[in-house]
Amino acid sequence: MDWHQLWTIISLPDNIPIVGMLFIIPFFTWFGLRQAFANDRLLAKLEADPKLARTHHRKTQPFQKGWARELPVWPYLMRMEFLAVVIVTFILMVWSITLDAPLEEPANPSLTMNPSKAPWYFLGLQEMLVYFDPWIAGVVMPTLIIIGLIVIPYIDENPLGNGYYTYKQRKFAIWTFISGFIILWCSMIVIGTLIRGPGWMWFWPGMTWDHNRLIFEINRDLHEIIGITSQPWIGIFGGLVVGGFVTAAGYGCHRLIIATEFTRKILGRMSLLQYAILQVLLIIMLALPVKILARLLFRIKYVWVTPWFNV
Amino acid sequence: MAVSKKAATKSTPSATNGSNGSRQLLGLTVDPQEIKQKALMDLKAIKQPTKTEVYKSIFRVKHDQTARSRTLGVLSNVFLHLHPARVNRDAVRFSFTWGMGGISFYLFWVLTWTGVLLMFYYHPTKVQAFRDILYLEHDVPFGKLLRNMHRWAAHAMVLTVQLHMFRVFLTGSYKKPRQFNWSVGVILLVLTLLLSFTGYLLPDDQLGFWAVTVGTNMARATPMLGHEGPFGPQFGMTPFNDVRFALLGGSIVDANALLRAYIWHCIAIPGFAATFMIVHFWRVRKDGGISGPNRIMLESEIKPLRR
């Protein structure tokens, strides 16, 4: 256990946000879901008692008697905003006084930094470079993430859970978002920051960053394992495998979409186009962990090799 | 001193010359009694500044606790009129909103101000850039604090924007009628990341240089538009005409890249971000304020879809 190495990585000023993220993201996930479960308990109560549901105020923190429904913004909201500004300013001041922004030597194209890392919020994408070619990890995936986020409101036809925390009524949406945001995006950032060392090699927390470390591992393409050697067949085989994955993943996602009475009802509200977009995005999102596992467990480099591109 | 005091005491109450104590001074008739009254009035006004004409001309609304004044105070103020006059009592609750949207906006302001101050000391040229940072760190009063604050506020903003999005997702606030505003918000998230990324190169040190090299190397692999991407060569892409060349203004990260990063960082992207923010805030209001906490809705109450 090399505590000094661990401390060197954690105490790097630029890594502070990631160390903060390790606490902040779980905290807010808990904070949000706690309120969701509170609402879910109320929902269960009201569903069991339709008579009560007709007259109930429908809130976990209802208005007390004599409370006005609306408050003047001045001073009730302004003072909250003022307080937030004061607190944020205070935190920023302390942060800026205690920790200096990093400044390395002057830029030198002939001296490569090892490891050379992107800014922390792009480390998820950089980590993806291990598993995919740059055109997928650096161009297609980011574009799809942005498009996928933008279309969320237009493919989510579930009218429930509008303006209140709930888990029960939006299981599918919440699981999708949490697996995308926390499991893929945040955890890959953490891996890229804290785990990846020189040569972008995997160093467990506490392992010394050995610049001379060599890892003897051979990544092979899938067709090499199967034993196909000549090109048209390699391409056709890869295409079939990818097609097979798309079919299987699409089927799996469809099973999830029709899993319960409620999700079937939501599917009934969706147009064909909405369903197709949802499927495409889910399949591509699923491809990421599948390829990661294929690499980490079976040392597979490419699944589909063609003269023009490799997947 | 004593003489003047004596003169003053002598002149104030009694009527020594003139009918009601007025004197001739430089051809003007001066009444000490009247001047004293006026001075007292001015003094009184200072004690109650809200009664002065200057105050009234600036704020136009009485500063008291009546609902009318509070409402007008918000509505007639250009900075505050972003807010509605009144909000749902729940909307001020931290547990629902987490305050992350507002904090992101405040951090954007912090970044604008610290950024403008940094611009006074910074030249986006290969010769000067790094030296300017050293100068800032060692010679400019509070220069180090300024730079630190700019960087940490940028990191914090990336985090708060993501948390804001997380909250909006968990509360389902992107649902009807706020779909479009979510999409605007995603654009703002992307602009935040781009702002931070373009700023990375500006100190012109090893950290920024290699981060931007790694980042823009990915652009080489853009399908059809990068010289190493799928179908790139078939579209005639070389290192000297592809999308990476357009981003960097060259085939390597050099002086042109520094200038381009500077202009994107200080002018273009803040402009886009400000524009989208205007739309974002405007739509928050127009779509009915913040989304909740709403009354929870039961599954049995879903209305059939009308297309």
Side-chain angles (χ1 to χ4, degrees):
Chain A
M1 196 69 191
D2 187 350
W3 291 102
H4 181 256
Q5 178 69 59
L6 192 65
W7 176 246
T8 317
I9 298 169
I10 289 175
S11 64
L12 202 70
D14 252 357
N15 286 352
I16 297 297
I18 295 97
V19 178
M21 230 169 78
L22 286 175
F23 300 97
I24 292 170
I25 301 278
F27 169 76
F28 277 107
T29 312
W30 167 81
F31 195 50
L33 288 180
R34 193 179 70 115
Q35 297 178 66
F37 294 142
N39 275 335
D40 288 350
R41 282 193 293 276
L42 181 61
L43 274 168
K45 197 171 127 196
L46 295 184
E47 266 162 6
D49 190 353
K51 214 169 144 191
L52 178 67
R54 244 174 284 145
T55 53
H56 198 266
H57 51 68
R58 303 285 185 94
K59 287 189 179 184
T60 38
Q61 285 174 304
F63 293 134
Q64 302 297 317
K65 245 187 196 145
W67 279 9
R69 270 181 191 282
E70 290 193 323
L71 296 176
V73 161
W74 181 281
Y76 294 103
L77 182 59
M78 298 304 302
R79 72 181 180 194
M80 288 291 283
E81 291 176 349
F82 182 70
L83 201 63
V85 163
V86 169
I87 292 170
V88 171
T89 310
F90 179 76
I91 291 172
L92 268 183
M93 271 287 178
V94 172
W95 192 358
S96 307
I97 289 168
T98 50
L99 282 174
D100 284 341
L103 185 69
E104 305 270 339
E105 293 157 39
N108 184 352
S110 57
L111 187 68
T112 314
M113 298 260 284
N114 188 12
S116 63
K117 292 188 177 182
W120 62 271
Y121 37 83
F122 285 147
L123 283 181
L125 302 178
Q126 202 180 350
E127 173 67 14
M128 250 199 279
L129 278 174
V130 177
Y131 313 103
F132 290 102
D133 271 358
W135 68 276
I136 301 181
V139 184
V140 175
M141 282 294 191
T143 313
L144 280 173
I145 292 172
I146 296 165
I147 292 175
L149 285 172
I150 286 179
V151 300
I152 282 177
Y154 300 103
I155 55 177
D156 185 355
E157 274 295 328
N158 180 358
L160 296 179
N162 186 344
Y164 55 91
Y165 291 95
T166 175
Y167 166 70
K168 209 176 102 189
Q169 294 181 329
R170 299 175 58 213
K171 279 182 190 163
F172 188 83
I174 287 187
W175 270 110
T176 311
F177 194 83
I178 284 189
S179 44
F181 177 61
I182 294 178
I183 299 177
L184 291 179
W185 180 253
C186 293
S187 69
M188 297 239 301
I189 287 174
V190 170
I191 289 172
T193 315
L194 304 180
I195 307 279
R196 293 294 181 177
W200 209 255
M201 281 187 277
W202 189 286
F203 290 87
W204 290 105
M207 265 171 83
T208 313
W209 277 15
D210 178 5
H211 282 257
N212 299 316
R213 181 184 180 205
L214 292 171
I215 298 179
F216 293 100
E217 55 181 32
I218 301 156
N219 294 325
R220 292 186 300 173
D221 299 339
L222 188 61
H223 63 85
E224 289 173 344
I225 295 172
I226 304 293
I228 302 171
T229 48
S230 59
Q231 190 25 262
W233 304 113
I234 293 173
I236 292 167
F237 168 73
L240 285 175
V241 171
V242 172
F245 165 75
V246 168
T247 316
Y251 177 73
C253 292
H254 184 74
R255 287 304 295 266
L256 277 177
I257 293 169
I258 59 164
T260 66
E261 177 90 27
F262 178 66
T263 54
R264 281 195 291 277
K265 201 154 119 189
I266 302 306
L267 177 62
R269 298 166 70 92
M270 288 170 76
S271 73
L272 212 55
L273 183 64
Q274 285 174 318
Y275 176 76
I277 293 171
L278 176 66
Q279 275 284 17
V280 168
L281 292 172
L282 285 176
I283 289 168
I284 293 172
M285 199 168 121
L286 202 63
L288 184 59
V290 166
K291 186 74 195 284
I292 291 175
L293 287 180
R295 168 65 60 84
L296 294 180
L297 296 180
F298 304 110
R299 301 268 150 238
I300 290 169
K301 190 171 186 215
Y302 292 126
V303 173
W304 187 8
V305 176
T306 73
W308 310 282
F309 62 88
N310 304 319
V311 176
Chain B
M1 190 64 197
V3 175
S4 67
K5 205 173 180 182
K6 202 177 175 187
T9 42
K10 202 178 173 187
S11 67
T12 31
S14 61
T16 40
N17 52 355
S19 55
N20 53 356
S22 62
R23 281 182 188 174
Q24 286 291 323
L25 195 69
L26 296 172
L28 288 166
T29 316
V30 178
D31 180 3
Q33 201 67 32
E34 201 177 312
I35 288 176
K36 189 190 170 191
Q37 287 304 319
K38 284 195 170 170
L40 283 174
M41 269 168 72
D42 283 350
L43 214 64
K44 215 168 144 192
I46 288 166
K47 283 179 185 162
Q48 281 183 308
T50 55
K51 294 272 165 65
T52 59
E53 204 57 42
V54 176
Y55 180 93
K56 283 181 195 164
S57 76
I58 295 172
F59 292 104
R60 303 181 64 192
V61 178
K62 274 188 207 149
H63 182 78
D64 58 24
Q65 291 192 8
T66 61
R68 182 187 145 80
S69 297
R70 284 174 164 180
T71 304
L72 287 176
V74 171
L75 294 185
S76 64
N77 184 309
V78 69
F79 299 108
L80 301 185
H81 93 288
L82 208 67
H83 302 89
R86 307 171 73 74
V87 286
N88 190 332
R89 177 185 281 272
D90 283 334
V92 300
R93 230 172 60 205
F94 173 78
S95 62
F96 182 78
T97 64
W98 304 355
M100 287 300 164
I103 290 174
S104 304
F105 182 50
Y106 174 60
L107 287 172
F108 182 79
W109 269 110
V110 171
L111 286 162
T112 307
W113 282 105
T114 52
V116 166
L117 292 176
L118 286 171
M119 280 169 84
F120 287 145
Y121 294 98
Y122 179 82
H123 305 75
T125 59
K126 265 313 221 195
V127 179
Q128 289 251 47
F130 188 78
R131 290 174 195 187
D132 285 337
I133 306 298
L134 291 182
Y135 179 59
L136 260 166
E137 292 219 324
H138 298 291
D139 292 315
V140 177
F142 299 107
K144 201 170 201 172
L145 186 71
L146 197 62
R147 183 170 117 81
N148 290 350
M149 192 170 266
H150 194 72
R151 193 180 188 95
W152 302 142
H155 279 342
M157 187 173 161
V158 172
L159 209 57
T160 55
V161 167
Q162 290 185 18
L163 284 172
H164 174 58
M165 190 172 80
F166 190 33
R167 191 282 292 177
V168 169
F169 188 89
L170 281 183
T171 54
S173 305
Y174 59 83
K175 295 185 179 195
K176 201 176 168 186
R178 297 181 179 81
Q179 298 105 317
F180 178 69
N181 218 12
W182 165 273
S183 308
V184 175
V186 174
I187 305 280
L188 281 170
L189 169 74
V190 175
L191 290 176
T192 308
L193 295 178
L194 287 179
L195 267 174
S196 190
F197 184 63
T198 49
Y200 230 72
L201 182 64
L202 298 184
D204 198 29
D205 65 342
Q206 281 284 67
L207 196 69
F209 178 84
W210 287 104
V212 170
T213 303
V214 168
T216 51
N217 273 351
M218 292 195 204
R220 278 181 186 166
T222 313
M224 294 173 282
L225 295 177
H227 70 278
E228 283 175 4
F231 308 108
Q234 285 88 336
F235 274 71
M237 287 300 153
T238 68
F240 304 101
N241 66 357
D242 67 348
V243 63
R244 181 170 175 272
F245 190 92
L247 288 175
L248 295 178
S251 58
I252 53 165
V253 180
D254 205 7
N256 284 353
L258 193 60
L259 184 63
R260 287 194 185 197
Y262 180 71
I263 291 167
W264 279 115
H265 185 74
C266 302
I267 298 167
I269 304 179
F272 291 134
T275 312
F276 277 98
M277 263 187 265
I278 292 169
V279 178
H280 199 60
F281 299 154
W282 173 257
R283 285 301 293 253
V284 170
R285 291 289 308 280
K286 292 293 150 183
D287 294 341
I290 74 159
S291 62
N294 257 346
R295 288 155 51 82
I296 55 177
M297 184 175 153
L298 299 185
E299 200 185 314
S300 54
E301 294 164 347
I302 299 179
K303 292 194 188 85
L305 194 66
R306 273 183 297 169
R307 285 197 187 277

